[in-house]
Structures are given as C-alpha cells and as structure tokens.
Amino acid sequence: MTPVPLPSPPLRDLALSRQHLDRAGAHRTSPSHLADLWDSPDTRVLRLHAGRAPVVTTPEGPRLVLRSPAEVPVPGPEDLQLYLGVDRDGDREVHHVAVVSADAEPEATDGAAGGEEWRGLREVGQELPALDAGLFTEALAMGNWHAVTRFSPRTGAPLTATTSGWVKTEPDGREHFPRTDAAVIMAIVSPDDRLLLGHQPIWPANRYSVLAGFVEPGECFEDTVRREAFEEAGITIGAGLDDVRYLGSQPWPFPASLMVGFAARAVTTDIRVDGDEIALARWFTREELAEELRTGGVLPPPGVSIARRLIEAWYGGPLPVDDRPWG
C-alpha cells in the first residue's frame, strides 16, 4: 500500500517568523549602550504594557507606533529597558529599544494622533509587517522571561538586568540567560488521508486544533511527535524516516515557546484521548472539515498561529472561514 502523502516543507511566510532585524548582539555588552541610544533622536522605542503595544491603523494595515526617546515617558524603576537590534536600510541604521512594563496600558495615548490603540500580538501579529512583528515578538518574549526570572535559583538573591536587558546577573556575577521552551506541533494524517484535530478542556466549545506538546529532556523532535500523539490521543505514528516530516517553526511568546511544526503519518486510527490535555479528538476529511467550519461545528486556530498553517497545508489552501481571535 502506497503511504498517504504528507504536506511538504517549507511553510512560507509564517506570521511572527519573518525576522528582518539584526539583533546586533555585540552591541549589548557595552555598559553605556542603552544610555547612548536614549540620547539619540534616531533611536526608535517600542513600549509594551501588560503584553500590549501601541498600534495605529494605516491604509496598508496595522503598524506599531515607534517613537524617538524624547517622545516617550521616562521609564520607571520597575520597567525593563531592552535593546532589540538594528534595522539597516542602505547606509541608514535605526536602532530599536523596548520599554516593557507589567502595568496596564495607559488610558490616554499621551498625545498620539491617528487613532493609536493598545493591542496584543495575537490580535495583530498576522497583519503586521515583518519588522514590526519581529520587534513585538522579541520584546514580548523577553518581557515574559524577565517577569518570571527575578531571583537566583541557587541562592534566592535578587537578579539584576544587565547586557542591555539580555542577561540577569547575581550579586556574585553569575549570569542567567533567556530561555525558550521547545514544543512540537503536528498535523497527523491517517492512512486514508484524514486529519486529526483535538479539543482541549480549557478551550471554548467547538475550538479544535492540531496536537502539540513540549520536548522533554534528552528527546529529539521526532520522538516528541510520536510520544505526544500516543499520550494525548492513543495514535501510533509510523517509524519510518519520512513518517515525521519537518515543515517550519514559529516563535510563540505565550509565554516562551518555539513551536516546531511537523506533518506525521499515523499507522493506527483508534482514538483514546487522555482526558487531561485533550478532551475530544476527531478525524476529518477535507469535505467534513469544510462543512463543520461552515456551520460553526469547528472553530479553527487563529490565522496568526502555525497551527492554522499546518491545517491549511493538509487542506490544500486557506480554510473557508473568516479568521477569529483565539478565545
């Protein structure tokens, strides 16, 4: 029997994965780097409050509001100042920094014109241009790391942000670096070319997506795909080299994940959900999925996510449904 074909890589133009910024890590080590940039009118500042950034709507779509240091409020003592990198356009270099606050976004736009609004990355990430999406993703991920990395895991001593916001340092000089949690996410295809979608208990009714799970210590991505498919849905994935195929990856700073996307070929189809991570799971033909989308029986993941792109890679094109925010 000829194995069912799997979607082929790569997934192109994944939202949040189109990084056009040189992070210029060598600049971070200068103790005066952030102060020097704050003195430059050519610097551009991205402000984040409680995970949201100021956005303005233009004829081309949403854009981040990036301002010179003189145009933004002075950072407070609890605010994180972070060097993001440099955007090069010919001979012109524009350095970008972020000011990240845990406080709610200001009620007023402090004089901004053009309908500035504070929006989350899930809301606007898909529509932002590559530079804006990269800045927002980087600042949000780093802000999330700083928020939970406040004390030394060895001594309990408070940590200090150094290296332009990219290191947390103990009083004795020991350094702690940002972490990213690797997770696999996979479009599992049956021997008769159906797609497996699951529903988590915490999701709204009818919300379905592909399966996913975190990589465990000492485990490769392909083994994680096989383990998670079996643990969550009782599905066995083929053992062949091409039964698990890499398609692409996406940073997902909610709070600190890198989603590594795969297509996987199942050799069993009897579903046994674990009842914890996955409450319901179903196999769908393309015709069944289209009908469920039309009637609202299935709500797909949002367009900003790699999950949506994995489903569309199997489906053969965009899903016949308007995009909705995750919620």
Side-chain angles (χ1 to χ4, degrees), residues 14-211:
L14 280 165
L16 315 186
S17 298
R18 299 164 288 128
Q19 300 280 352
H20 285 185
L21 188 74
D22 180 355
R23 298 195 178 193
H27 290 310
R28 300 172 186 166
T29 57
S30 169
S32 65
H33 184 51
L34 280 176
D36 293 342
L37 291 179
W38 276 102
D39 289 336
S40 171
D42 295 328
T43 299
R44 288 297 172 263
V45 181
L46 170 63
R47 296 163 296 153
L48 259 64
H49 285 262
R52 300 169 74 85
V55 174
V56 64
T57 300
T58 74
E60 292 76 31
R63 298 292 185 268
L64 291 181
V65 178
L66 303 172
R67 297 187 179 171
S68 69
E71 297 175 305
V72 302
V74 175
E78 300 300 320
D79 292 339
L80 166 67
Q81 298 182 54
L82 174 71
Y83 179 58
L84 298 177
V86 58
D87 178 37
R88 294 186 174 88
D89 184 7
D91 295 332
R92 182 170 179 261
E93 292 188 347
V94 179
H95 290 269
H96 292 78
V97 300
V99 177
V100 183
S101 172
D103 297 334
E105 65 270 15
E107 293 184 8
T109 61
D110 49 51
E116 176 182 312
E117 296 180 292
W118 291 83
R119 308 285 292 278
L121 184 61
R122 280 190 177 99
E123 299 175 74
V124 297
Q126 184 181 15
E127 301 174 84
L128 289 174
L131 176 62
D132 288 18
L135 291 169
F136 200 162
T137 303
E138 181 182 354
L140 180 60
M142 287 296 296
N144 289 339
W145 176 69
H146 276 271
V148 300
T149 312
R150 301 171 57 198
F151 302 96
S152 165
R154 297 186 310 124
T155 67
L159 299 174
T160 301
T162 60
T163 319
S164 299
W166 282 87
V167 176
K168 300 297 284 282
T169 304
E170 298 190 26
D172 65 1
R174 184 181 293 255
E175 296 178 327
H176 299 266
F177 298 90
R179 62 172 293 173
T180 295
D181 299 322
V184 300
I185 184 165
M186 54 277 194
I188 299 174
V189 181
S190 71
D192 57 353
D193 202 18
R194 293 176 294 163
L195 180 69
L196 182 68
L197 297 179
H199 170 80
Q200 290 192 11
I202 62 173
W203 289 349
N206 299 337
R207 178 72 75 184
Y208 279 81
S209 186
V210 291
L211 303 190

Side-chain angles (χ1 to χ4, degrees), residues 192-274:
D192 57 353
D193 202 18
R194 293 176 294 163
L195 180 69
L196 182 68
L197 297 179
H199 170 80
Q200 290 192 11
I202 62 173
W203 289 349
N206 299 337
R207 178 72 75 184
Y208 279 81
S209 186
V210 291
L211 303 190
F214 287 104
V215 179
E216 295 186 345
E219 190 173 49
C220 69
F221 291 136
E222 293 82 356
D223 285 346
T224 308
V225 169
R226 293 182 169 95
R227 176 180 55 78
E228 289 287 346
F230 189 78
E231 289 180 354
E232 293 188 348
I235 298 300
T236 299
I237 302 299
L241 291 177
D242 193 45
D243 287 331
V244 177
R245 179 181 297 175
Y246 172 77
L247 296 183
S249 64
Q250 180 186 52
W252 193 248
F254 305 107
S257 296
L258 175 67
M259 306 304 296
V260 185
F262 292 88
R265 187 178 288 114
V267 296
T268 65
T269 57
D270 290 339
I271 296 172
R272 301 185 307 277
V273 297
D274 63 4

